[in-house]
Amino acid sequence: MLFFVFVFIAILTRAEEPTCERLGHAHSPLFSKNGDVIIGGIFSFHYTLESKLLFDRKPEIPKCINLIQRLEDFQIAATMMFTIEEINNRTDILPNISLGYRIYDSCGSTRTAVKSALALTSDAEGNLTESCLRSSVHAIVGHSASSPTIAIARAIGPFHIPLISYSASCECLSNRQDFPTFFRTIPSDYYQSRALAQLVKQFGWTWVGTIRTDTDYGNNGMATFLYVAQQEGICVEYSELIQYGSPREKFLKVVEVIKRSTSKVIVAFTFDFELNVLIKELLQQNVTGLQWIGSEAWISSRAIATKENFRVLGGAIGFAVRNSAIPGLKEYILNIHPSSSPGWNEFWQDVFKCSLNSQENTTSCTLSENLRQVSNDYTNLSVLRINYNMYKAVYALAHSVDNLYKCQEGLGPFFNKSCADKMRIQPWQVLHYLKMVNFSTWSGENIYFDKNGDPVARYELVNWQINKEDKKYSDLPFWVHNVCNWNTEMYILFLKVPKSVCSDSCPAGTRKAAQKGKPICCFDCVSCSEGEINNITDIEFLSYTEIISLVLEAFSFFGASATTAVMVIFYKHKETPIVKANNSELSFLLLFALTLCFLCSLAFIGEPTQWSCMLRHTAFGISFVLCISCVLGKTVVVLMAFQATLPGNNIMKWFGPTQQRLTVCTFTAIQVLICTLWLSISPPSPIKNMKYFTEKIILECDIGSGIAFYAVLGYIGFLSVLCFVLAFLARKLPDNFNEAKFITFSMLTFCAVWVTFIPAYISSPGKYTVAVEIFAILASSFGLLSCIFVPKCYIILFRPENNSKKHLMMASVRVLFNKSFCLHYKPISCLSFHSNLLKTNDLAS
């Protein structure tokens, strides 16, 4: 009986949904609008949260201050409201369905941002919903910064509420395991950090300083930049942290580091308001004439682009997200009025320096003030980069909900092919459709998210200039550096690229000697020892003009020419028995593959590039597998031809010309698949190797995926060993036209070359590593060409009397009496063997 009581209580307990209890004061939205589907928003309208932590009584309600510094966030929030109004007025998307919003102020605090996110799980009045498992909003848009966004995503992730950010770009947010419900319409810093490193490399700056914000955005973005910069041979003189709200002494310390440095280029991965504090200190100490490289968070910011700051930041370059016009937005922005929502009251008072409270001793607001007569960050709509990201974010959610409503019962994506309950939509259902959303904006841009919730990365290159409209920056086409304005020591903008290196390149006749305790970019130039010369600078690779390269090139062209000559000889004598008996189709294909092998060695010579690195190993791998597949096919033909002569054996019908072609294609297709996966997942790429030598940098190709690289080599090795074993077994078959013996020698040569290649490859330094690899390719190719085709060409050209059917049959009769091999079988077997070699290839004798 007691057992049944416990079971009954457990059932009742399990049937009840968990309830939530709010701790602390209610948190109300600043802006709200009812609708069938509610979208939450979190912005930093204020930048500072003023609060006192009291441990003897309940803390006071925090107060948000510094509104005037964040007028841009009001503009972005207004863009969200405008987009929702635009969607509600359309009939082609969400007809008869209205969108609403609830927008909160995080006050520049991660703590308040999380509180706002949790408040969005309550109803419009701030009261808790009846269940902890149910949210009153269907999705949340925000935050602009990465650190608050990370905290929000962790807080609402367990509730399966989709979170889409328009400005949080930290690469860490692409981690689907930690942030399964996060999406964004701004590219990940994974791409921006790498692009900044490539930008620095493009202009030849190998000696730079870096400054980053001490946040997830700055730390993760700069870490990626430093990693890529090291691979590109860029040295970093210093790497400093700044953070808004830190004591002035910390900013002054950074200024001193900049003043003492010798690098003329600074890469800044910071926010605009943090960098603005540093720039003011630099202006006070007249630290100018430096070339700044900026991340998207400040390079296109209107707040920092002032005439005073231009003395320091003039000529700065960096990447910004895509800009686009939004029809109708300007009118909506400028028509905002406190009468539309009380949330605009404080904004109105700060903009017009008046009061809506008659009790205050300030000028009263008449409410007839006009935003068109004001010039500030809110009314400036000349550049709409972040606004456009917000526009796309809201539309992504709208299209997701639209697809949800269009679901047909029995064809749905949920349990038993069901659709969502249209009267009670859940956030996790919106999340499902958001993952698959795909639509185009009015400007034609296609919007969708990858598996990590990221959009396609698109950037514009920005260069700070003073143009005719007195704007502080302008956009430029990518890599057009000859029209960039550069910051120089005299504050005059020239068309010459600034120079920033730790040490100048050593002239001919000298060599580099590393400076103890300094990066590889810093070195002294010392004269070459007696009897030594040096006519190259800095970077080493196997160039086309070196003697060793010219020799290898000559052998490569000779091998390709010799192979072509053999192909011509075989074609002119294609009706002769020796060509027929050795499977002319496979022979021609093998000669074509050998030509590719000789020519692919040329891809290893010259300065490594992204394309040449990918071509080197894939062309080599596919060409050699095609070669060995043909040789393997020829070997099997020899074995099958003899087996077919044995009593009761009808094996030849299973390995005719069609099966031979299919075998070669299958073996080659496997290698093509391996190479395709290699290039798709982790392709080879050029790197600057500074590990082996202190006096020079080796420019070489990094293999990318080690697993794929060894899979390519291992597959070649497997086919080679298989071919060698089969050829060895067939070496004592009647040998007048039997090429198994030649194949055995060719594969023995091939294997010997590549076995000796391994220790030589490992022990060869620098560019000689590539030379050894080219030598192995040429040696093994010449081995195949010589062992398989030279004996045949000798008979065709110099012993034509042996290239006849009569000679074939007479030689076979002699074999019957001289070879113990044939004594074990009927005499007809050895005669039939040679005949089958001709018939097997569909070339009847």
Side-chain angles (χ1 to χ4, degrees):
M1 176 64 74
L2 186 61
F3 171 79
F4 288 108
V5 171
F6 282 137
V7 171
F8 179 73
I9 294 175
I11 293 174
L12 289 178
T13 303
R14 197 171 293 177
E16 295 179 359
E17 288 187 334
T19 58
C20 291
E21 179 182 357
R22 182 177 62 241
L23 300 177
H25 62 276
H27 193 45
S28 301
L30 191 63
F31 303 99
S32 63
K33 177 183 175 64
N34 292 328
D36 299 313
V37 177
I38 304 297
I39 299 176
I42 303 175
F43 301 85
S44 285
F45 298 115
H46 298 82
Y47 192 69
T48 305
L49 183 67
E50 191 177 67
S51 62
K52 296 180 179 179
L53 296 178
L54 305 174
F55 299 97
D56 56 346
R57 59 184 183 276
K58 185 178 179 180
E60 299 175 357
I61 298 176
K63 183 180 180 181
C64 297
I65 58 176
N66 292 338
L67 174 72
I68 199 69
Q69 295 185 10
R70 304 303 300 174
L71 290 184
E72 288 185 31
D73 278 45
F74 275 101
Q75 188 190 88
I76 304 301
T79 303
M80 175 181 173
M81 301 175 198
F82 162 80
T83 309
I84 289 176
E85 293 292 339
E86 181 179 91
I87 294 169
N88 287 340
N89 292 330
R90 291 178 60 170
T91 57
D92 59 331
I93 180 173
L94 291 175
N96 303 318
I97 303 296
S98 63
L99 294 179
Y101 54 80
R102 291 171 57 198
I103 297 175
Y104 281 81
D105 184 5
S106 70
C107 305
S109 167
T110 300
R111 178 183 57 172
T112 310
V114 173
K115 186 175 182 179
S116 300
L118 296 177
L120 286 169
T121 63
S122 63
D123 60 27
E125 284 72 37
N127 300 318
L128 294 172
T129 55
E130 65 273 19
S131 170
C132 291
L133 304 179
R134 192 173 298 124
S135 171
S136 63
V137 296
H138 300 89
I140 297 176
V141 177
H143 189 281
S144 60
S146 295
S147 293
T149 303
I150 291 172
I152 294 170
R154 293 190 188 278
I156 67 173
F159 299 102
H160 305 289
I161 302 174
L163 172 67
I164 182 166
S165 175
Y166 54 91
S167 185
S169 57
C170 179
E171 181 183 348
C172 56
L173 284 163
S174 297
N175 188 330
R176 222 53 184 153
Q177 185 174 356
D178 293 340
F179 310 104
T181 67
F182 176 76
F183 300 82
R184 54 183 158 196
T185 53
I186 188 172
S188 166
D189 286 336
Y190 172 90
Y191 304 101
Q192 180 184 196
S193 299
R194 284 164 169 76
L196 288 174
Q198 292 296 326
L199 184 66
V200 172
K201 175 189 175 184
Q202 177 73 16
F203 295 122
W205 298 320
T206 58
W207 188 236
V208 302
T210 66
I211 297 173
R212 70 184 187 275
T213 173
D214 193 11
T215 61
D216 292 286
Y217 169 74
N219 292 330
N220 284 275
M222 186 56 71
T224 303
F225 170 83
L226 294 175
Y227 172 75
V228 179
Q230 183 181 19
Q231 290 183 319
E232 297 294 344
I234 301 169
C235 299
V236 177
E237 183 179 11
Y238 60 86
S239 185
E240 294 295 322
L241 288 168
I242 60 173
Q243 187 172 25
Y244 188 81
S246 298
R248 187 188 177 202
E249 288 72 22
K250 290 192 175 182
F251 285 91
L252 292 176
K253 179 184 176 182
V254 176
V255 172
E256 288 301 316
V257 171
I258 295 174
K259 289 170 63 178
R260 292 195 306 267
S261 67
T262 59
S263 58
K264 301 300 180 184
V265 175
I266 300 177
V267 180
F269 225 102
T270 72
F271 295 115
D272 52 0
F273 50 86
E274 292 176 317
L275 185 62
N276 200 32
V277 177
L278 178 63
I279 298 303
K280 291 185 185 302
E281 298 294 343
L282 291 172
L283 281 169
Q284 286 188 11
Q285 301 191 37
N286 199 27
V287 182
T288 57
L290 299 173
Q291 178 62 49
W292 290 77
I293 309 296
S295 61
E296 48 77 28
W298 72 266
I299 195 65
S300 61
S301 172
R302 297 187 295 265
I304 198 174
T306 64
K307 191 170 296 184
E308 295 77 18
N309 290 350
F310 193 79
R311 290 180 55 206
V312 174
L313 299 176
I317 56 176
F319 293 101
V321 295
R322 183 177 178 181
N323 183 33
S324 177
I326 303 177
L329 177 62
K330 183 175 182 179
E331 289 300 314
Y332 184 91
I333 292 286
L334 298 179
N335 287 333
I336 287 294
H337 196 270
S339 60
S340 62
S341 172
W344 293 106
N345 288 353
E346 187 179 1
F347 164 81
W348 196 266
Q349 293 175 138
D350 277 358
V351 169
F352 293 106
K353 307 302 179 186
C354 62
S355 175
L356 292 171
N357 189 345
S358 58
Q359 297 179 356
E360 295 184 6
N361 297 324
T362 58
T363 304
S364 297
C365 298
T366 64
L367 296 182
S368 61
E369 294 86 1
N370 192 342
L371 287 172
R372 288 177 171 80
Q373 300 173 354
V374 177
S375 178
N376 56 26
D377 291 336
Y378 176 81
T379 59
N380 188 342
L381 295 166
S382 58
V383 180
L384 300 175
R385 302 182 190 278
I386 303 301
N387 306 67
Y388 185 52
N389 283 351
M390 169 59 76
Y391 187 78
K392 293 186 289 186
V394 176
Y395 261 99
L397 292 172
H399 279 281
S400 300
V401 176
D402 186 53
N403 293 335
L404 183 150
Y405 273 98
K406 289 179 180 177
C407 177
Q408 299 179 8
E409 285 298 335
L411 300 175
F414 305 125
F415 182 70
N416 284 337
K417 297 185 178 180
S418 63
C419 296
D421 183 357
K422 309 290 193 303
M423 303 302 295
R424 199 176 179 85
I425 297 175
Q426 300 298 319
W428 64 268
Q429 295 167 332
V430 177
L431 174 64
H432 172 82
Y433 282 95
L434 186 59
K435 293 177 180 178
M436 301 181 295
V437 74
N438 194 321
F439 67 97
S440 296
T441 63
W442 72 271
S443 61
E445 182 181 357
N446 185 231
I447 307 299
Y448 60 92
F449 303 105
D450 65 12
K451 62 181 181 180
N452 297 321
D454 293 327
V456 176
R458 297 183 179 93
Y459 291 103
E460 295 176 356
L461 186 63
V462 170
N463 173 226
W464 276 39
Q465 303 175 10
I466 296 181
N467 54 29
K468 294 179 180 179
E469 290 76 23
D470 196 30
K471 295 175 185 176
K472 305 305 182 298
Y473 56 85
S474 61
D475 300 343
L476 290 176
F478 193 72
W479 295 138
V480 184
H481 63 274
N482 59 330
V483 297
C484 282
N485 286 338
W486 308 104
N487 204 335
T488 66
E489 294 292 344
M490 301 303 294
Y491 320 127
I492 302 175
L493 300 178
F494 290 105
L495 297 181
K496 183 179 179 181
V497 179
K499 187 176 183 180
S500 184
V501 296
C502 183
S503 301
D504 290 324
S505 298
C506 291
T510 63
R511 64 176 180 83
K512 293 194 297 184
Q515 296 179 0
K516 188 175 181 180
K518 289 191 176 182
I520 188 67
C521 302
C522 301
F523 49 83
D524 296 319
C525 296
V526 297
S527 300
C528 295
S529 303
E530 185 176 353
E532 296 180 347
I533 63 170
N534 178 24
N535 59 357
I536 58 175
T537 59
D538 297 343
I539 294 177
E540 180 181 272
F541 58 89
L542 191 63
S543 64
Y544 289 104
T545 57
E546 295 184 52
I547 295 179
I548 187 173
S549 299
L550 294 174
V551 172
L552 294 173
E553 291 166 19
F555 275 103
S556 176
F557 285 117
F558 174 75
S561 302
T563 306
T564 304
V566 172
M567 199 180 302
V568 172
I569 294 172
F570 265 54
Y571 182 78
K572 287 187 176 181
H573 300 83
K574 61 183 178 181
E575 299 300 328
T576 60
I578 195 170
V579 177
K580 288 183 178 182
N582 287 280
N583 194 329
S584 60
E585 185 173 313
L586 285 182
S587 294
F588 284 118
L589 187 57
L590 174 57
L591 288 168
F592 171 72
L594 279 173
T595 304
L596 295 180
C597 290
F598 282 115
L599 295 178
C600 80
S601 62
L602 297 175
F604 289 80
I605 304 175
E607 181 178 355
T609 64
Q610 185 67 44
W611 286 105
S612 67
C613 286
M614 292 192 295
L615 179 64
R616 286 181 181 184
H617 297 98
T618 53
F620 153 72
I622 295 173
S623 300
F624 267 84
V625 164
L626 182 58
C627 274
I628 299 171
S629 299
C630 294
V631 175
L632 185 60
K634 293 166 76 69
T635 307
V636 173
V637 166
V638 173
L639 287 172
M640 296 300 103
F642 180 77
Q643 290 294 326
T645 65
L646 300 179
N649 198 325
N650 196 23
I651 196 172
M652 285 312 303
K653 71 176 183 178
W654 299 109
F655 204 74
T658 302
Q659 288 78 11
Q660 294 169 29
R661 299 187 196 105
L662 185 61
T663 300
V664 173
C665 292
T666 301
F667 283 136
T668 307
I670 294 174
Q671 185 75 309
V672 171
L673 178 62
I674 296 173
C675 291
T676 302
L677 292 175
W678 185 8
L679 297 180
S680 302
I681 298 173
S682 182
S685 59
I687 62 167
K688 293 180 179 178
N689 190 332
M690 298 175 282
K691 297 179 181 178
Y692 300 127
F693 301 99
T694 58
E695 69 277 4
K696 58 186 174 182
I697 300 173
I698 305 299
L699 188 59
E700 61 184 13
C701 288
D702 179 62
I703 61 174
S705 172
I707 296 176
F709 174 72
Y710 291 113
V712 168
L713 294 184
Y715 186 61
I716 294 175
F718 167 74
L719 292 181
S720 303
V721 171
L722 179 62
C723 187
F724 174 76
V725 171
L726 294 178
F728 183 79
L729 294 175
R731 73 191 187 284
K732 291 186 178 180
L733 294 177
D735 59 358
N736 197 54
F737 288 115
N738 173 21
E739 60 180 349
K741 189 175 295 184
F742 299 129
I743 293 175
T744 303
F745 280 114
S746 67
M747 296 315 301
L748 188 63
T749 304
F750 183 90
C751 294
V753 168
W754 286 101
V755 168
T756 55
F757 158 78
I758 296 175
Y761 181 84
I762 295 175
S763 60
S764 301
K767 61 185 178 183
Y768 299 106
T769 303
V770 180
V772 169
E773 194 167 0
I774 297 174
F775 176 80
I777 293 174
L778 295 177
S780 54
S781 300
F782 275 114
L784 290 173
L785 180 65
S786 302
C787 293
I788 296 177
F789 292 101
V790 169
K792 299 175 182 58
C793 290
Y794 174 77
I795 293 176
I796 292 173
L797 296 177
F798 302 108
R799 301 292 297 274
E801 67 276 7
N802 293 344
N803 188 12
S804 64
K805 183 177 179 180
K806 178 181 179 181
H807 179 77
L808 166 68
M809 296 305 179
M810 292 302 296
S812 297
V813 171
R814 289 195 298 271
V815 169
L816 291 174
F817 297 99
N818 297 329
K819 297 274 186 174
S820 60
F821 175 87
C822 290
L823 297 178
H824 298 286
Y825 303 99
K826 294 180 179 179
I828 193 62
S829 295
C830 291
L831 289 170
S832 299
F833 168 75
H834 292 89
S835 180
N836 272 322
L837 284 177
L838 301 176
K839 293 178 181 178
T840 299
N841 306 300
D842 202 21
L843 298 168
S845 58

